[in-house]
DNA sequence: GATACTAGTATCCCAGAGGATACCACCAAT
DNA sequence: ATTGGTGGTATCCTCTGGGATACTAGTATC
């Protein structure tokens, strides 16, 4: 049996689902173990070479760092500049656009922080 | 060669890394393909049975829905109530605490939305 | 010539995410 | 007694995220 209310719900859920798509787009960009740490490090450092960034982020392997940086670059959050030095160095930096993530990351930080406290209390 | 500045940077990154942990905690809770859609559906529906929720979320399999709901329940975002009806029905609902995610999800939505537009313009 | 720095690539491997399909027990209506 | 509703589990599969390890090419230093 299908009530009138359920039909309305499904119609509204369709509108809702386009919003969910946007949320999932955002989540996808920050997905994975390393993107947030990399963005965080770059916001802090302003600019950094590959190896320096690797040391800064921690245990990340060059393969993963390379892969994550490529994705962040594709999304215009990070800029890669090859410098004509000897030896050739590469400069990674966060873009102006990349800085727009800060508010999102800060919200996630705040929620995560209070959530940690709540979980601790109960366990 | 290690300059004084680099040592300072590494010290500050250590403070930064605890903040990154909180962000990653938050991301972990929303991770996966289905958690946000489920939370969204439950915020909209207020309460829902298992099958109804499955229909609402879309293509999710019962295995995944069951698994994701368990995780959300563990994190106190979702409440599961068994009702003494015939046949036995189960009511899933978002908790008051679960509603605190709304601001985080809304930030993610806003950023994701404007990001979509930006990507479209350039491709 | 050996070592160490730069910026990565290549290869192999494993665990977990998530889909497909089938199935369970229970109950109600036809 | 068959069909269809409830709320799930079980099994099998594939694909990818991500780690470990090794390697390349170029330059500078010891």
């Amino acid at each position: 049996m299908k009530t009138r209310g359920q039909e309305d719900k499904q119609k509204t859920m369709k509108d809702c689902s386009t919003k969910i798509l946007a949320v999932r787009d955002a989540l996808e960009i920050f997905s994975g173990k390393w993107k947030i740490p990399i963005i965080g490090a770059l916001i802090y450092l302003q600019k950094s070479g590959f190896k320096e960034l690797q040391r800064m982020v921690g245990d990340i392997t060059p393969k993963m760092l390379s892969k994550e940086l490529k994705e962040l670059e594709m999304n215009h959050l990070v800029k890669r500049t090859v410098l004509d030095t000897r030896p050739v160095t590469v400069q990674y930096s966060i873009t102006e656009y990349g800085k727009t993530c800060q508010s999102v990351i800060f919200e996630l930080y705040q929620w995560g922080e209070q959530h940690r406290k709540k979980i601790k209390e109960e366990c």
Side-chain angles (χ1 to χ4, degrees), chain A:
Chain A
M1 188 183 59
K2 190 175 265 185
T3 69
R4 184 62 203 285
Q6 285 174 336
E7 283 167 4
D8 290 349
K9 278 176 183 175
Q10 292 187 349
K11 206 183 291 173
T12 317
M13 273 305 287
K14 216 166 190 178
D15 311 335
C16 186
S17 70
T18 69
K19 295 190 177 181
I20 285 174
L21 280 182
V23 176
R24 299 201 55 230
D25 280 354
L27 279 174
E28 207 165 306
I29 284 163
F30 302 129
S31 73
K33 191 174 173 181
W34 298 112
K35 295 212 186 63
I36 296 283
I38 290 169
I39 292 172
L42 281 179
I43 284 177
Y44 174 70
L45 290 170
Q46 309 285 348
K47 59 190 175 190
S48 173
F50 186 88
K51 288 287 186 188
E52 184 190 7
L53 193 53
Q54 187 183 356
R55 269 178 253 116
M56 206 58 104
V57 171
D59 289 332
I60 192 170
T61 61
K63 186 188 89 173
M64 287 309 295
L65 182 56
S66 175
K67 183 189 148 209
E68 300 291 67
L69 281 171
K70 273 174 194 160
E71 293 178 24
L72 291 171
E73 209 189 335
M74 270 175 26
N75 288 315
H76 310 287
L77 302 180
V78 160
K79 193 174 63 180
R80 179 182 184 269
T81 317
V82 178
L83 299 180
D84 187 18
T85 55
R86 266 163 293 149
V88 170
T89 51
V90 175
Q91 201 173 81
Y92 288 96
S93 57
I94 208 143
T95 62
E96 282 308 308
Y97 183 60
K99 289 176 187 167
T100 65
C101 301
Q102 276 181 302
S103 61
V104 183
I105 293 178
F106 187 66
E107 272 286 336
L108 284 166
Y109 161 67
Q110 280 191 314
W111 196 87
E113 183 69 8
Q114 69 76 26
H115 185 66
R116 282 199 132 185
K117 282 178 194 157
K118 179 167 183 173
I119 295 298
K120 259 185 201 163
E121 283 168 16
E122 282 157 12
C123 302

